[in-house]
Amino acid sequence: MSVTAVVKDTERLTMTMTAEYNVTAERAWQLWADPRQLERWWGPPTYPATFVEHDLRPDGRVTYFMTGPTGDQPRGFWDVLEVEAPRRLVVQDGFADEAWTPVDTMPSNRMVVDIADREGGVTMTVTSTFASLEAMEQLIAMGMEEGMTLAMGQIDAILAE
Amino acid sequence: MVVDQLSDAEVDRLFHALADATRRDIVRRAITGEHSVSELARHYPISLTAVQKHVGVLQEAGLVVKHRHGREQRVVGRHDALRRARRLLEEYEALWRGRLDRMGALLDEESRGGTA
């Protein structure tokens, strides 16, 4: 199990999750900086993500779509806000329409990734902040299929919870 | 593994807030609807100032919030909001747990000599 701690704050609508990996910060950073690696973990095996643009620089943009079991392809994007390789990444994660235009009526959330050294490896912390309870609800409804897939036991680590 | 966000001090505030019959009654009313402090005060044989104090204690404990509606302040229960937020965060947690575990699996595979 990679995840070592989860802190949920229902007042501030944030979730902070910490995981430990026995690799260097540079290697962990590649999980985010290399789109082919991102594709291997962003979506579950039955709902894989394909990254189209991947400009990981301040004011850059990352776009992706996911392919569901029935062929549906929801699109998403990140507006890149801060990049300090291999330590910190801040993006605004949202949904896009077929022309890759952000869908304003859909929620977005801020995602902060911090990679810190520890003995024998790194600690990766991912903090998600939602604008409102409604935004969070909508976002989770969108991610529901992924949640269902996880619940169906595609991944051993999830089964072990 | 999941760390609940309520500290000891917050739990104390919560229990202290709920240890009073008038405050429990205010919470009950605030959960089912919006009321101004003066509307709430009509239900109790105490002064408006005393009711204001009770509302302040509940607000500090996170059980109610006050918001402005025209010229008056309305008191609304936060119980539902908190419960809903907690349930949503749990679902979001499952999503991210999956992602972080897949990252781990990817790194493990690589260290065992697989290709990344």
Side-chain angles (χ1 to χ4, degrees), chain A residues 2-73:
Chain A
S2 312
V3 177
T4 53
V6 182
V7 177
K8 291 179 281 184
D9 187 333
T10 48
E11 294 260 339
R12 292 184 186 82
L13 301 176
T14 63
M15 185 190 75
T16 304
M17 203 174 260
T18 309
E20 292 184 352
Y21 303 111
N22 299 328
V23 296
T24 61
E26 286 74 18
R27 177 63 196 92
W29 180 257
Q30 287 306 310
L31 290 165
W32 297 86
D34 176 352
R36 303 292 83 83
Q37 289 186 31
L38 256 171
E39 287 170 348
R40 296 186 61 191
W41 63 264
W42 183 258
T46 52
Y47 224 97
T50 305
F51 283 77
V52 182
E53 284 173 276
H54 189 274
D55 185 9
L56 215 60
R57 287 180 298 185
D59 297 325
R61 201 153 209 253
V62 173
T63 55
Y64 66 91
F65 62 87
M66 297 179 83
T67 304
T70 58
D72 55 311
Q73 293 193 322

Side-chain angles (χ1 to χ4, degrees), chain A residues 62-141:
Chain A
V62 173
T63 55
Y64 66 91
F65 62 87
M66 297 179 83
T67 304
T70 58
D72 55 311
Q73 293 193 322
R75 295 183 176 202
F77 69 91
W78 299 346
D79 276 333
V80 181
L81 304 173
E82 283 177 47
V83 182
E84 283 170 46
R87 298 286 171 206
R88 184 175 166 87
L89 174 66
V90 181
V91 305
Q92 193 75 23
D93 177 21
F95 291 98
D97 65 15
E98 288 186 0
W100 296 106
T101 308
V103 182
D104 289 341
T105 54
M106 295 297 237
S108 65
N109 80 308
R110 180 167 293 217
M111 189 167 76
V112 180
V113 183
D114 283 300
I115 298 171
D117 290 328
R118 63 173 173 85
E119 203 176 317
V122 294
T123 299
M124 187 187 290
T125 306
V126 180
T127 305
S128 303
T129 306
F130 303 88
S132 68
L133 198 53
E134 287 64 36
M136 201 162 120
E137 201 152 56
Q138 217 175 342
L139 203 69
I140 285 162

Side-chain angles (χ1 to χ4, degrees), chain A residues 6-8 10-11 17 21 27 40-43 109 111 128 133 136-137 140 146 150 155 157 161, chain B residues 3 5 78 84-86 88 90-94 96-97 99-104 106 109-110:
Chain A
V6 182
V7 177
K8 291 179 281 184
T10 48
E11 294 260 339
M17 203 174 260
Y21 303 111
R27 177 63 196 92
R40 296 186 61 191
W41 63 264
W42 183 258
N109 80 308
M111 189 167 76
S128 303
L133 198 53
M136 201 162 120
E137 201 152 56
I140 285 162
E146 177 169 4
L150 297 176
I155 298 160
E161 273 183 36
Chain B
V3 181
Q5 197 48 16
R78 296 207 49 238
R84 191 154 62 112
R86 178 159 296 147
L88 291 168
E90 269 159 20
E91 290 173 16
Y92 203 69
E93 178 193 336
W96 267 100
R97 215 174 252 278
R99 285 178 179 160
L100 292 165
D101 284 344
R102 284 193 292 277
M103 287 187 204
L106 177 60
E109 185 184 308
E110 193 178 78

